[in-house]
Amino acid sequence: MVMAAARPIEESLIERLPVVRGLYEENAELGKRSWFRTGGKAEVLFQPADADDLQAFMEERSADVDLTIVGFGSNLLIRDGGVDGVVIVLGKSFARIEFDGELITAGAAALDVQVARSAQQAGVAGLEFLAGIPGSIGGAVRMNAGAYGSEIGDVIINATVLDEQGGAHVLDANQLELGYRKSGLKDDWIVLSARLRGEVGDRDEIAGRMAAISTAR
């Protein structure tokens, strides 16, 4: 009797991915990560430990692995059928907010409203409008988010981004090609952080403007 050759067992996506220090999760529920609480699953969800971990992943992954970047999810609809490939979600290590006088460096996962509040506490004006934008800094840069007469393009100095092969770039406002609710960033480029410029201000006056924005919303 001649036996048929055994069919090779196809590797799952997660078995083909680089070794990382962060977390992989198969069939991860995405609905709970979106503003609208709807949508299917990610084939694989990746939460990098830090920027170095993410960069290493981008450098080592196969080019045929599809990537989707998910931020705060305030402007995101996830299809019921889910998302193939790897969905990247940036965690707390990407949410740092640091001040150097009137200059602010905010991680991509830092919430816009938290950047506005931190600036108010530091006596830095000019970022109050962020209190009216649901979302995080990474999405704000990608979409040149704005509200109440101001937008990211008015205050950004530069943004640090990773390209699809893990190369790091520091792009100034002109290189970001910011327009009305858009930027020139490629879909598979990832914003790591943004450097913003404020100005010296009075904490109470800043708080008053933020309260007005909150009321207007």
Side-chain angles (χ1 to χ4, degrees):
M1 181 176 63
V2 178
M3 298 182 64
R7 297 178 61 183
I9 299 174
E10 186 176 347
E11 285 184 311
S12 66
L13 174 59
I14 199 168
E15 293 174 318
R16 297 171 49 213
L17 297 176
V19 175
V20 296
R21 291 181 287 110
L23 298 174
Y24 288 135
E25 180 183 352
E26 288 187 289
N27 299 315
E29 296 284 353
L30 290 177
K32 62 184 179 182
R33 297 178 180 274
S34 78
W35 189 266
F36 301 103
R37 294 294 188 266
T38 60
K41 298 179 179 181
E43 186 174 2
V44 174
L45 183 74
F46 173 40
Q47 294 180 279
D50 51 33
D52 290 339
D53 193 34
L54 176 58
Q55 186 170 21
F57 169 85
M58 296 291 284
E59 290 174 345
E60 296 173 20
R61 74 178 177 97
S62 298
D64 63 344
V65 174
D66 293 329
L67 294 183
T68 302
I69 317 303
V70 173
F72 187 60
S74 59
N75 190 30
L76 180 67
L77 285 175
I78 301 168
R79 61 175 180 262
D80 290 339
V83 181
D84 293 335
V86 177
V87 174
I88 297 175
V89 175
L90 305 184
K92 292 182 179 179
S93 64
F94 295 87
R96 297 189 180 93
I97 302 170
E98 300 175 347
F99 288 83
D100 180 8
E102 300 87 61
L103 303 182
I104 305 101
T105 300
L111 297 182
D112 299 328
V113 65
Q114 189 57 52
V115 174
R117 289 171 179 166
S118 298
Q120 183 273 328
Q121 293 166 5
V124 175
L127 302 174
E128 295 90 334
F129 73 97
L130 288 173
I133 302 175
S136 57
I137 289 297
V141 172
R142 179 170 290 280
M143 296 302 297
N144 190 23
Y148 305 97
S150 298
E151 59 188 16
I152 283 290
D154 298 329
V155 297
I156 193 166
I157 300 172
N158 57 50
T160 301
V161 304
L162 289 182
D163 63 30
E164 70 276 12
Q165 296 178 328
H169 306 267
V170 179
L171 305 179
D172 62 26
N174 289 333
Q175 291 172 308
L176 287 167
E177 299 178 9
L178 300 173
Y180 182 73
R181 303 298 175 262
K182 65 178 183 179
S183 72
L185 289 174
K186 297 179 181 179
D187 289 344
D188 49 5
W189 284 35
I190 304 174
V191 178
L192 297 181
S193 64
R195 192 161 173 80
L196 311 174
R197 183 186 301 278
E199 58 188 31
V200 175
D202 180 86
R203 290 181 177 85
D204 292 337
E205 292 179 0
I206 297 169
R209 290 192 288 271
M210 289 174 60
I213 288 173
S214 178
T215 300
R217 287 188 63 199

